[in-house]
Amino acid sequence: MRSMILKYNPETTSTDFDEADRLYFEELSYERVMDIYELENASGVVVSVGGQLPQNIALRLQETGKANVLGTDPRDIDKAEDRQKFSEILDSIGVDQPAWKELTSVEAAEKFAQEVGYPVLVRPSYVLSGAAMTVIRSQEDLKDKLEAASNVSPDHPVVISKFIEGAQEIDVDGVASKGELIIHAVSEHVEQAGVHSGDATLVLPPANLDQDTMDRVKEIAQKVAKAWNITGPFNMQIIRAEDPEGGVPALKVIECNLRASRSFPFVSKVLGTNFIDVATKAIVGKDVPQPTDLMAVKRDYLATKVPQFSWTRLAGADPFLGVEMASTGEMACFGKNLVEAYWASLQSAMNFRVPEPGEGILFGGELSKNWLATVVDYLAPLGYKLYAADAEVKEYLETKSKHKINVEIIEFPKEDKRALREVFKKYDIRGVFNLAQARGKTVMDVDYVMRRNAVDFGVPLFMEPQTAMLFAQCMSEKLPRPEGIPSEVRRWSDFIGGKPL
């Protein structure tokens, strides 16, 4: 049996161009796929390993082109891609999801947002993943967003769903055969929910999920595999939200793709099982292994996968993580524990330099949360010089920190990049922690200016709260501290969701 690969990005096959018998560089469109399918007299086509584009044309390949689509039936793929069908199936199998509604007018959108409460997530109705999504935190922002689009109508509806703040996101990669779950991997995100999974730091095996949560996640994966009659790879994102009354945390499915995800190589390497090999056997229906619970195996290590960003190539862009993907690569490292693995992974990033004790650290961002105070609690004993761009941040840090610290206010010329570079040089600023809750609305926003120029000046930037606190913990444990300073500090895991557990 011969195999053909169709790709439109030559770079993705530069290291393994000889894996297939024949390699085509063409666009992933219905017409080109059918041209090659007929030219090669193919016996089948696999649409679950090429990202989103093959999924979009799967149903047409089968129904119009009469191609033999291997693996999960395209009609079942359509039931996962269509938000209404997706939601109805989740309801029918007893799997929870955030409240959502498809709306055709600004007035209806405002009414629904008030019913579920802000913040909400707004996106075009045809989008399941991160593209074109926006987190809205007020009625004024919602109106601006929808009226600026100027095309909210019955022909162009928007989907609004409740955005759950302070939640943790869980990634599930799995392989099923004829609706039965064969293998699965459960990874936790370090970042708070709302950061695109492609930009998230994955931890496998999870460092902070209890056994009850792991069992419930597996049960959801089994129900989803059966409901969509999955044969081949699939990926899910699940939100874990604490119960305000202290009950069992809620698990809500926010997305399910019936295809291999970008984390398949990572989970395969970490768990020692080739997920795509198992998926291939399931797709062709030969030598399919018996169901195995890889997550039940106790391991004396874990691994973290961290994103690589290219902010310097995007002049003027705001280095801020959200629901749309921004990273362009990734690195992964093993360790005996989370601190060791994350410390190694992050230092694998291009041009990353750990600020050394005695150098300057600049702080800014949200002051209604305990994020910045937690970072300072880790860093203060190490002998860093602490700076802020305004008196409010200085007062917050000096008041909230458990240590007696001095934060110096520095001049911060927002409109003169050359002058600001001199300020960074003058105070030897070698790290920036800017933990804002939302993007800057103008180019004069102090947090935007701080983030953007940290990137432009080659200074390590931490702009996501959970990863900032974890890295600060790594610095506290890995860097030498002056004699006489105790090492007792709170752990990052005490602050999952932005508050002590």
Side-chain angles (χ1 to χ4, degrees):
M1 182 182 291
R2 295 191 309 138
S3 62
M4 282 75 69
I5 291 180
L6 169 59
K7 280 194 169 267
Y8 66 92
N9 181 2
E11 185 55 36
T12 58
T13 52
S14 61
T15 56
D16 55 1
F17 56 88
D18 55 351
E19 285 295 301
D21 295 296
R22 194 165 291 183
L23 177 60
Y24 287 90
F25 290 123
E26 286 286 356
E27 62 181 16
L28 295 183
S29 65
Y30 167 76
E31 290 79 12
R32 294 294 79 73
V33 172
M34 286 306 304
D35 285 346
I36 295 168
Y37 185 87
E38 292 166 359
L39 175 67
E40 295 285 356
N41 194 25
S43 57
V45 56
V46 177
V47 297
S48 55
V49 291
Q52 190 57 40
L53 291 178
Q55 300 276 286
N56 296 342
I57 61 173
L59 193 60
R60 191 177 173 196
L61 287 172
Q62 179 175 274
E63 297 193 345
T64 304
K66 306 303 178 185
N68 177 27
V69 178
L70 303 175
T72 306
D73 191 306
R75 288 167 294 189
D76 290 314
I77 294 174
D78 180 63
K79 292 174 186 174
E81 295 293 320
D82 185 292
R83 176 59 62 174
Q84 186 69 44
K85 295 175 184 176
F86 175 71
S87 179
E88 289 172 355
I89 293 176
L90 287 182
D91 288 342
S92 71
I93 60 177
V95 172
D96 200 7
Q97 60 186 308
W100 73 280
K101 202 168 189 179
E102 186 175 88
L103 302 154
T104 56
S105 70
V106 174
E107 295 74 22
E110 290 178 342
K111 182 179 178 182
F112 177 74
Q114 286 180 331
E115 287 174 4
V116 298
Y118 290 94
V120 294
L121 192 62
V122 179
R123 63 187 146 205
S125 62
Y126 56 84
V127 168
L128 264 181
S129 56
M133 289 190 191
T134 310
V135 176
I136 301 293
R137 299 183 180 276
S138 68
Q139 183 173 344
E140 180 184 356
D141 288 345
L142 179 65
K143 194 169 185 178
D144 289 344
K145 164 75 176 174
L146 298 182
E147 288 183 348
S150 70
N151 62 351
V152 181
S153 66
D155 292 329
H156 300 93
V158 295
V159 170
I160 297 183
S161 50
K162 173 62 181 171
F163 181 76
I164 302 172
E165 283 196 294
Q168 183 182 22
E169 198 162 324
I170 300 169
D171 237 71
V172 181
D173 288 295
V175 176
S177 177
K178 299 177 182 177
E180 181 182 26
L181 184 67
I182 303 298
I183 54 174
H184 75 292
V186 180
S187 309
E188 67 176 335
H189 290 199
V190 171
E191 291 81 355
Q192 56 193 353
V195 173
H196 191 284
S197 60
D199 292 342
T201 299
L202 295 190
V203 182
L204 178 68
N208 298 291
L209 296 182
D210 58 29
Q211 191 56 49
D212 179 64
T213 299
M214 296 290 285
D215 293 341
R216 291 168 62 202
V217 167
K218 180 182 178 182
E219 183 182 358
I220 291 172
Q222 290 172 324
K223 286 182 175 180
V224 166
K226 184 177 181 181
W228 273 271
N229 195 29
I230 299 173
T231 293
F234 70 101
N235 169 265
M236 285 192 302
Q237 272 95 51
I238 298 174
I239 290 287
R240 180 182 182 271
E242 295 292 339
D243 184 345
E245 299 179 5
V248 178
L251 294 179
K252 299 174 183 284
V253 173
I254 57 172
E255 185 175 346
C256 181
N257 295 303
L258 307 191
R259 54 176 170 81
S261 72
R262 65 179 61 80
S263 50
F264 254 57
F266 172 67
V267 302
S268 297
K269 180 77 76 174
V270 176
L271 300 181
T273 298
N274 191 330
F275 272 55
I276 208 65
D277 183 55
V278 176
T280 303
K281 290 175 179 177
I283 287 171
V284 299
K286 291 184 179 181
D287 302 321
V288 182
Q290 291 298 308
T292 305
D293 190 350
L294 299 174
M295 301 310 298
V297 178
K298 300 301 179 186
R299 293 174 169 82
D300 60 357
Y301 64 87
L302 56 71
T304 57
K305 179 172 78 73
V306 303
Q308 170 76 57
F309 296 98
S310 299
W311 301 115
T312 53
R313 301 296 183 91
L314 304 170
D318 188 355
F320 184 87
L321 298 188
V323 290
E324 289 202 61
M325 185 171 166
S327 63
T328 53
E330 56 196 13
M331 299 76 63
C333 287
F334 288 84
K336 293 179 180 178
N337 53 47
L338 178 58
V339 166
E340 187 176 289
Y342 187 67
W343 183 249
S345 295
L346 209 53
Q347 291 186 79
S348 303
M350 285 182 62
N351 303 321
F352 182 84
R353 175 188 177 275
V354 177
E356 296 181 6
E359 296 176 339
I361 304 287
L362 180 61
F363 294 91
E366 183 64 41
L367 302 182
S368 65
K369 308 286 186 181
N370 63 356
W371 302 330
L372 287 173
T374 302
V375 171
V376 168
D377 284 349
Y378 283 124
L379 300 187
L382 297 176
Y384 287 100
K385 296 171 186 173
L386 310 179
Y387 300 113
D390 58 65
E392 194 176 2
V393 175
K394 169 185 168 69
E395 182 183 356
Y396 168 84
L397 292 175
E398 293 180 344
T399 304
K400 296 292 185 180
S401 175
K402 61 190 289 188
H403 303 286
K404 187 175 181 180
I405 61 171
N406 177 52
V407 179
E408 184 179 345
I409 301 175
I410 63 173
E411 59 269 28
F412 201 78
K414 294 188 291 185
E415 298 185 52
D416 189 337
K417 200 176 192 76
R418 183 172 295 179
L420 188 56
R421 183 186 287 273
E422 290 303 313
V423 170
F424 269 63
K425 191 174 180 180
K426 174 182 176 182
Y427 294 99
D428 195 23
I429 294 172
R430 297 301 185 96
V432 172
F433 287 83
N434 186 282
L435 308 181
Q437 197 162 21
R439 294 180 188 276
K441 291 189 174 181
T442 71
V443 293
M444 289 295 103
D445 179 271
V446 66
D447 290 326
Y448 163 76
V449 174
M450 192 180 295
R451 290 192 298 269
R452 183 63 240 179
N453 286 284
V455 167
D456 291 341
F457 300 160
V459 174
L461 168 67
F462 294 89
M463 71 302 207
E464 197 286 322
Q466 302 298 332
T467 50
M469 290 188 288
L470 177 55
F471 185 69
Q473 179 187 336
C474 291
M475 294 171 76
S476 174
E477 294 189 20
K478 292 292 185 179
L479 296 178
R481 67 179 58 237
E483 289 187 21
I485 300 295
S487 60
E488 184 275 318
V489 287
R490 292 169 288 181
R491 293 292 180 262
W492 164 79
S493 55
D494 295 333
F495 296 89
I496 295 174
K499 62 182 185 300
L501 295 176

